[in-house]
Amino acid sequence: MRVLAVLAAMVTLAAPGHASPVNVIANSSFDDTFIGPNTILAGAIVPGWSTLPFLMNTPAGNVWPLLGATGPQYADIGNTPSSGIEQTFTIGAGDVIDSISWSDNTAIPSGSSLYSVQLTDQSSAVVAQGSYVTSAHLTIWDQKQLSLTSVLGAGTYTLRMFGTTGVGTADSLVDDVVVLADAAPVPLPASAFLLLSALGLGALGARARRV
């Protein structure tokens, strides 16, 4: 039993360990630059982001969502690729990107709108991308995620979000943008795996002899 207890403890240590994930996006909810209720600010300058087509803080009774997904404000990313928003961030040595998520919405009369999300690395190569449809809600925001098909470690990345519905249609709205970075799993040395195997076989042999 003592050997088995040691084996269990070593297996626990062998499992990949992670620090607490950290959101590396600055001003993820677009509330750092407060514009006050009943306000739509064109060409807004907010910390961390490129110029927003519109920063929104809208009142009850409007065609726009009454509140953001987090806080009172949210970003209007427009309806064409040229009117999108972006932010550049850095993943530190030994870390990886765990997930990329956000909430979306649009104006009530439109019903829905289309937009795209791209993640590029420091060489401007696209490393992840996706297309999305957002539906109109006054008080509820839908959460979306960007699918990551490879491990993205230390480096500089740019997250870009832009409308694709087309001119003359409603704009797409986003809020609560989160890019979680976490410590990369630390592989167990080969010698440790051999020790685990030996302990496991020894424990099973000892148990068989007792039986």
Side-chain angles (χ1 to χ4, degrees):
M1 291 299 294
R2 184 173 300 173
V3 174
L4 289 175
V6 172
L7 178 60
M10 293 192 70
V11 169
T12 301
L13 291 175
H18 291 273
S20 297
V22 175
N23 182 15
V24 297
I25 291 293
N27 192 13
S28 63
S29 60
F30 306 98
D31 290 317
D32 288 359
T33 301
F34 186 69
I35 58 175
N38 197 16
T39 303
I40 300 175
L41 179 63
I45 305 297
V46 299
W49 294 97
S50 60
T51 302
L52 305 185
F54 297 96
L55 179 63
M56 316 280 281
N57 188 332
T58 55
N62 207 311
V63 298
W64 304 102
L66 306 184
L67 291 172
T70 302
Q73 298 182 176
Y74 48 92
D76 181 326
I77 65 174
N79 53 21
T80 65
S82 62
S83 66
I85 64 172
E86 64 181 46
Q87 181 170 149
T88 299
F89 58 90
T90 299
I91 301 298
D95 287 351
V96 295
I97 297 177
D98 269 358
S99 63
I100 299 176
S101 64
W102 63 92
S103 297
D104 66 17
N105 213 327
T106 190
I108 295 301
S110 73
S112 63
S113 58
L114 308 177
Y115 67 98
S116 292
V117 176
Q118 283 185 345
L119 184 69
T120 57
D121 62 17
Q122 54 196 12
S123 67
S124 298
V126 176
V127 294
Q129 61 183 336
S131 297
Y132 303 87
V133 179
T134 176
S135 300
H137 306 289
L138 277 175
T139 58
I140 299 172
W141 290 66
D142 295 323
Q143 189 172 62
K144 303 290 174 62
Q145 283 196 326
L146 181 62
S147 177
L148 303 177
T149 58
S150 61
V151 176
L152 301 174
T156 300
Y157 300 88
T158 298
L159 181 68
R160 185 164 180 256
M161 315 177 83
F162 53 92
T164 55
T165 309
V167 175
T169 60
D171 296 354
S172 296
L173 313 172
V174 298
D175 197 16
D176 197 23
V177 183
V178 176
V179 176
L180 289 181
D182 205 350
V186 179
L188 195 67
S191 58
F193 279 110
L194 291 175
L195 178 58
L196 284 172
S197 299
L199 284 172
L201 291 173
L204 290 174
R207 183 175 181 183
R209 285 194 297 272
R210 286 198 300 271
V211 173

